[in-house]
Amino acid sequence: MISRLLFSRMDNSPLILFRILFGILISLESFGAILTGWVRRTLVEPEFTFTFIGFEWLQPLPGNGMYFYYILMGLMGVLVTVGFRYRLSMIAFTLLWTGTYLMQKTSYNNHYYLLVLLCVLMCFFPANRAYSMDCKRNPQLRSDQMYTGVKWIIILQLFIVYTYASIAKLYADWFDFTIIAQLMESRKDFFLIGPPLQLPFVHKIIGVFGILFDLLVVPLLLFKPTRKWAFIASIFFHLFNSIVFHIGIFPYLSLAFCVFFFEPETIRRFFFKKKPVPTLTSGVRPAGASWITGILGIYFLVQLALPIRHHFIAGDVLWTEEGHRMSWRMMLRTRKGNLQFRVVDTETGAGELVSLQKWLTPKQRRKVQAYPDFAWQFAQRLKKHYSAQGQKVAVYVMGNAGVNRRDSYPLIDPKTDLAAEPWNHFRHHSWILPSPYEK
């Protein structure tokens, strides 16, 4: 069964079209990050960035280096689009994108993580076997077919993303639509759509549709009688997200995925009219098929396990944030805090409050004052700074934080020297005080 799903043959038109769309979108994402000022605000202006914990060595290039970094990524996207040295271009973009993803999490987005995964997969897919400059340079590379595993790998990855996104919404603040009202409130000044987005019945429609769409869209796209309607719903859903939330290429990337749900003949007829009908071979398994199956099995087990890890970590993930990232927990909460940092010389006992304005950008301050892991990382940064000056210091954090505009409560134990605490990715940290919202 698995062997047939992975190693049968099919027309490769969906993959070829997806490569072209994917290349265009990653190029637009890279160049757009420069043009919109995202690179400047996130990677150039800050004195340092908050990396994923364990990647503190991965800091932005100095000066204008990150502009050239993103220009290079954009050029790699162009090369992927036209299929020029596809494998090398795709690997280069993957390394560059993964690097910029890991070097900052102040602007963390689940979609950035999804793009990392897709880039890794695309490095292995034979997406340059038609309508590519590689084929013009080497006609022997040309092929009109691919293994069916390419299609099912993409679909399974999407199914995991959407299903977990739907399950994550099954909690109180989504059911009573309060989080939706909060998300829409900041859009009240949008032209034409702003006022309607503030209406309670619109919040209910968004809430119900959000859960049902995420849960059902993949099965409905797979089922031929409902495919057309699911595709229309996808267009509406993703264009709505693009207009309202301004989340870059992700809505359009999600629409591009739909090419894998339509029959290859349909894709070929609409987009590649000169492409010949392939004569599909059968029964030919690639060398190392067992290894491929095993590696894919491990990959998808990890993808299934990561989003549920927070259930095995003590505490409410909405409060502690432990296990939140890489779990497809999208648009579920807002946080606000007013944490203060006090540095105490361990030898003299002299202490002083830290001026966050001197250290951090406004967006970094909002994160440090409301998110436990950001607070811990900033404490480590302070410890390192004072250590370089020959001082041994302890860092204590005081103040409150709140989730989804509820009342604020103490977030971090003020008696704990946060600079002396280790970090564990898969365990609860006792210095994060218990959630006041759990009943």
Side-chain angles (χ1 to χ4, degrees), residues 416-428:
T416 298
D417 174 10
L418 208 56
E421 291 293 317
W423 185 266
N424 191 305
H425 290 280
F426 298 100
R427 283 188 175 183
H428 174 62

Side-chain angles (χ1 to χ4, degrees), residues 87-102:
R87 197 78 61 185
L88 180 62
S89 300
M90 194 66 250
I91 291 173
F93 182 88
T94 300
L95 292 174
L96 291 168
W97 180 262
T98 304
T100 194
Y101 169 77
L102 293 173

Side-chain angles (χ1 to χ4, degrees), residues 7-14 143-148 264-265 268 275-284:
F7 304 120
S8 298
R9 295 279 186 162
M10 64 177 287
D11 186 337
N12 65 359
S13 294
S143 176
D144 294 317
Q145 56 185 296
M146 67 180 183
Y147 288 112
T148 50
E265 296 78 13
R268 188 178 66 246
K275 189 172 183 285
V277 178
T279 301
L280 302 179
T281 58
S282 59
V284 181

Side-chain angles (χ1 to χ4, degrees), residues 242-273:
S242 178
I243 294 169
V244 173
F245 296 111
H246 299 163
I247 48 178
I249 66 167
F250 179 71
Y252 307 98
L253 182 60
S254 298
L255 290 175
F257 288 135
C258 292
V259 302
F260 290 103
F261 292 92
F262 288 91
E263 280 78 8
E265 296 78 13
T266 302
I267 303 298
R268 188 178 66 246
R269 186 171 66 252
F270 277 95
F271 296 98
F272 306 118
K273 294 182 180 180

Side-chain angles (χ1 to χ4, degrees), residues 114-135:
L114 177 61
L115 190 52
V116 170
L117 299 179
L118 290 173
C119 285
V120 171
L121 294 175
M122 288 293 287
C123 287
F124 295 96
F125 291 165
N128 61 332
R129 295 298 183 91
Y131 289 84
S132 71
M133 294 183 68
D134 286 347
C135 284

